[in-house]
Amino acid sequence: MTVTSEVSAEKPSGIVYPRRNYPQIVATVLVVLVLALIARALFSNDNFQWNVVREYFFSASILDGLWMTIKLTVIAVFIGSVLGVPLAVMRQSANPAVRYFAFGYVWFFRGTPLLVQLVFWFNIALLFPILTIKVPFGPTLFSEQTNTLVTPLIAAVLALGLNQAAYTAEIVRAGLISVDTGQTEAASAIGMTKTQTLRKIVLPQAMRVIIPPLASETINMLKVTSLVSVISLGDLLYSAQAIYQANYRVIPLLLVASIWYLLLVTVLSFGQYYLERHFSRGYQDLRRPPAEEPAAAEPGR
Amino acid sequence: MSDKLVKISAVKKSYGSHEVLRGVDLEVNRGEVMCILGPSGSGKSTLLRCVNHLERIDSGRIEVDGELIGYRRKGKGLQELRDSELVAQRQKIGMVFQRFNLFPHMTALENVTIGPVLVGKLSKVAANERAAELLQKVGLADRMGHYPGHLSGGQQQRVAIARALANRPDLMLFDEPTSALDPELVGEVLEVMRRLADTGMTMMIVTHEMYFAREVADTVVVMEAGSIVEQGPAREVLENPQHSRTAAFLDHVK
């Protein structure tokens, strides 16, 4: 039959070729061009004083400041998480006193400016000159001048950590309530205690929801630590400021600080990627089913 | 060792002003397979969930294997048990849910071993052996390393049954186990349940699968509006309903 033979002579091969996306190609070229122009404007401009940037990039005080910033970020996020998780759990407690305490904590530490909290902890010796731990009606176990105990570093760590705990608590709480109640029911049904359920079933699943905003908070904390310059703690920004206040090279030193912050953020972003991937186990959208029995893998049968 | 594994006496439960269970009395013998039928809102799922104390009761009592579930006697009334005390009771009762409720971040094998390891205090090796055996019994030996998200609904429910059996319970509760499944996957789950029934497991099943109820169940209980309307041997109730409401319900389902 002539119709069929004509059709079969022109039958296409059946392979799918992607259509050339012309608008996308034009956009890509434009973006690359603009970026190249910006780069040229930046790097060939003498006003940026890139030679000064290079001079101070690895200097001792900058590196000390960098190390302080990293330390503060790590400790603050650590304290924030260690306090934030129990706070989040307390927010859902059956005990009203516990619930209100947690709610009050979050309300207070989110409600007052971090800068104020920082200055407050720095000056705590004004309010409580001596710190004492006593057994009620018994012997004194510990007594010390607050000023000796609460150094600027400790004050910074306290302020940043306690403040961060409030924000972390809310992020963790969001994660906890995002887990389907059926999960806790199933865990209870096989005899797991509430703590076991939280640790093994709810928290791991909540992590998928918790990690992205928590990673953002950590990256944010990197920059927020620069507030400690107001209590003269030698972080990265303070070190850069100290240098440019002496040699008046404001822009290059700020560039030094900014580039270091950017580098740290990049490293953290990679960390976030790997963390998210780890907690997505079992949720990946496999377009193909995983390796099957031989029968299913053979095509055309 | 009593013949009666489950004794439900005068159980009442309300959600606020809405009475969900209006004084239910029910007994289940060891080895008996009981299907609980009824229209939605009749309280059948709630009753089932009271048996392993996933729901609290307002009055009455539930005993499994002679032990008061969820509460201890205190003076004239009952006091709720602590979390740690409930654990021991729940080990003897397995539950299978309508929406499977498998732990998505664990493989099929891990889903089944977590109970014996954490609650039964089994060693990892022993737990793995038991889990492998159970998964083989439900026909999923080749899927042990898969995550629930990569399993079909029927496969997930079969893993859920294996998980519920992992603690070697005396009683198995099924809350509409096939209602969330595509029709062609229902059969494989019912088959597993039938084989479980053949081993002599005591089962309480809330279901709409009439054929299963007639072929596999020993007893059928019909509930409506929080009360038991009719109960008796499966074939009799399904073919010769005494109560008008039962007849109406069965007609409706057919």
Side-chain angles (χ1 to χ4, degrees), chain B residues 36-219:
Chain B
I36 305 175
L37 311 173
S40 28
S42 55
K44 44 191 207 297
S45 282
T46 311
L47 182 67
L48 204 71
R49 289 155 64 90
C50 289
V51 174
N52 68 349
H53 201 63
L54 274 185
E55 303 270 1
R56 296 192 178 91
I57 58 178
D58 294 330
S59 68
R61 39 174 225 282
I62 299 180
E63 286 161 291
V64 172
D65 205 7
E67 192 181 336
L68 190 60
I69 292 290
Y71 301 90
R72 74 166 74 81
R73 272 176 234 281
K74 192 177 167 95
K76 285 224 178 107
L78 299 172
Q79 189 189 47
E80 199 170 3
L81 288 176
R82 276 196 306 268
D83 207 27
S84 44
E85 294 163 316
L86 284 170
V87 161
Q89 293 187 337
R90 289 197 175 123
Q91 266 194 283
K92 301 203 275 182
I93 307 174
M95 184 155 199
V96 177
F97 298 86
Q98 183 176 353
R99 285 159 65 209
F100 331 139
N101 290 339
L102 287 181
F103 306 133
H105 58 301
M106 298 179 179
T107 62
L109 187 73
E110 287 164 347
N111 261 274
V112 180
T113 56
I114 190 169
V117 168
L118 277 186
V119 187
K121 308 282 189 238
L122 239 58
S123 72
K124 275 229 131 174
V125 173
N128 280 341
E129 267 176 37
R130 192 190 285 185
E133 194 191 309
L134 283 169
L135 284 169
Q136 206 203 33
K137 284 203 185 137
V138 302
L140 288 170
D142 56 343
R143 292 269 195 279
M144 293 196 301
H146 284 207
Y147 287 96
H150 307 153
L151 297 173
S152 74
Q155 292 169 330
Q156 288 185 54
Q157 194 62 300
R158 286 188 274 150
V159 174
I161 294 175
R163 180 178 65 174
L165 290 170
N167 279 330
R168 302 242 170 99
D170 299 318
L171 172 68
M172 282 286 279
L173 305 174
F174 293 82
D175 189 359
E176 301 205 33
T178 56
S179 297
L181 292 174
D182 290 335
E184 64 268 20
L185 300 174
V186 168
E188 66 195 50
V189 174
L190 292 181
E191 180 54 33
V192 168
M193 287 167 68
R194 173 200 275 266
R195 285 196 271 123
L196 184 61
D198 287 342
T199 67
M201 173 65 74
T202 315
M203 296 161 71
M204 291 176 74
I205 309 165
V206 171
T207 186
H208 297 300
E209 296 289 328
M210 295 302 165
Y211 184 78
F212 181 85
R214 188 175 34 236
E215 296 303 310
V216 182
D218 300 311
T219 324

Side-chain angles (χ1 to χ4, degrees), chain A residues 117-155:
Chain A
Q117 293 174 31
L118 203 47
V119 174
F120 177 85
W121 286 109
F122 184 62
N123 288 306
I124 190 120
L126 285 175
L127 298 170
F128 302 100
I130 301 184
L131 207 60
T132 311
I133 300 179
K134 273 171 70 131
V135 175
F137 306 115
T140 307
L141 296 170
F142 176 87
S143 183
E144 187 61 78
Q145 296 271 4
T146 314
N147 248 329
T148 338
L149 221 49
V150 184
T151 63
L153 177 60
I154 297 288

